[in-house]
Amino acid sequence: MASDKKKILVVDDEAMIRRILTTRLSMVGYKVVAAADGKEALEVFIAEDPDLVVLDVMLPKLDGYGVCQEIRETSDIPIIMLTALGDVADRITGLKLGADDYLVKPFSPKELEVRIEAILRRVDRANVSGSGVVCAGRLQIDFNKRQVTLSEERIRLTNLEFNLLKLLVLRAGEVISRAEILQQIWGYGPRQQADVRVVDVHISRLRVKLKEDPKNPEFIHTDRGTGYFFQKVTEIPQVLGA
């Protein structure tokens, strides 16, 4: 059961899907608002200030990729994209634009509920203050303020990106499998190979923001066939809720 009436924005041009998702999500305790096209989605987003967006890719007026891009200009709210596209490369386009996760149509409403719950639980944990500052060369991570600076320049990360970086830093020098990262950060394990691409795309986005040379990374390293690890750091703080 969802707590404290989190608000979900459901965006889909199919009235039946909007109705089913609104009913199901309302039954498990969420407040639900809906939009039928991309332009309306942005208007409702601004007016309603939801806690999470469920966003279809194929929308009239402005597609889901465009909506995701617009939202990411000002907000790091969690976004789950719904796609009927069969090509994995197409499906992960939304992730590259800043979506947190995706589901392929047709999907089980229960599966969507589980993913929403996992993401919102992760966001709630992120609001628990940690303590300490970690230094890794030019990179400084302040767990109290949830801020990251690179060569004294502030780096803007989404909540998900910060949590991903936090996981790697707290276990610096240890290889963490993509499956474990998926479980720890997204709250579910891989059911098929495509699932772990979610991890790869977000690692790639994080590396870009940290201005990493992909051929010679300074911070986040790849253990081929297994996962990723962060370089050794100067200090590992005790962080609450880690």
Side-chain angles (χ1 to χ4, degrees):
M1 176 69 72
S3 60
D4 67 13
K5 282 286 186 180
K6 297 287 188 182
K7 187 185 296 184
I8 310 295
L9 168 57
V10 172
V11 186
D12 200 296
D13 63 332
E14 295 185 49
M16 181 176 294
I17 291 180
R18 291 198 307 275
R19 185 165 57 250
I20 290 171
L21 295 184
T22 297
T23 300
R24 289 290 299 260
L25 294 175
S26 297
M27 287 175 61
V28 295
Y30 296 108
K31 180 177 180 180
V32 183
V33 292
D37 62 62
K39 294 293 187 183
E40 184 184 9
L42 293 175
E43 293 170 0
V44 175
F45 175 78
I46 292 170
E48 295 288 343
D49 190 26
D51 296 290
L52 182 145
V53 179
V54 177
L55 177 63
D56 188 28
V57 169
M58 306 302 290
L59 295 171
K61 298 185 180 180
L62 180 65
D63 67 19
Y65 298 141
V67 174
C68 181
Q69 211 164 10
E70 288 280 341
I71 290 175
R72 277 292 170 261
E73 290 294 322
T74 59
S75 174
D76 62 0
I77 183 176
I79 298 173
I80 299 177
M81 298 201 80
L82 307 178
T83 174
L85 301 174
D87 191 330
V88 172
D90 288 332
R91 279 185 250 154
I92 65 177
T93 298
L95 298 175
K96 292 181 178 178
L97 293 173
D100 294 74
D101 204 352
Y102 69 81
L103 273 175
V104 179
K105 290 182 174 181
F107 61 89
S108 160
K110 183 62 179 177
E111 170 81 1
L112 178 61
E113 291 168 24
V114 168
R115 295 202 184 190
I116 289 173
E117 183 181 1
I119 288 177
L120 292 178
R121 186 168 57 243
R122 185 195 71 224
V123 171
D124 286 341
R125 283 203 309 265
N127 291 331
V128 177
S129 296
S131 62
V133 176
V134 165
C135 296
R138 302 178 298 123
L139 187 67
Q140 181 172 296
I141 306 155
D142 188 325
F143 287 102
N144 292 317
K145 299 178 181 178
R146 292 181 64 81
Q147 291 181 357
V148 176
T149 55
L150 181 67
S151 298
E152 300 184 358
E153 175 190 350
R154 174 80 179 274
I155 304 298
R156 184 176 178 271
L157 301 181
T158 65
N159 277 324
L160 186 145
E161 289 163 349
F162 186 90
N163 289 341
L164 179 55
L165 179 61
K166 174 182 173 181
L167 173 66
L168 294 170
V169 169
L170 290 177
R171 293 169 60 175
E174 175 187 348
V175 176
I176 309 177
S177 72
R178 294 149 82 213
E180 183 179 356
I181 293 172
L182 189 68
Q183 183 67 59
Q184 291 285 338
I185 300 299
W186 281 266
Y188 63 90
R191 296 174 178 81
Q192 54 188 359
Q193 185 62 27
D195 286 344
V196 295
R197 289 289 290 134
V198 174
V199 176
D200 296 335
V201 173
H202 281 279
I203 288 286
S204 178
R205 281 177 52 83
L206 190 52
R207 281 172 162 164
V208 169
K209 291 189 175 184
L210 297 180
K211 302 178 181 179
E212 293 259 56
D213 176 356
K215 295 182 179 179
N216 186 30
E218 182 179 354
F219 306 114
I220 301 172
H221 299 264
T222 302
D223 186 84
R224 295 200 179 279
T226 304
Y228 300 95
F229 66 96
F230 197 87
Q231 71 162 51
K232 293 290 186 180
V233 298
T234 304
E235 175 189 356
I236 294 291
Q238 295 298 315
V239 180
L240 299 177

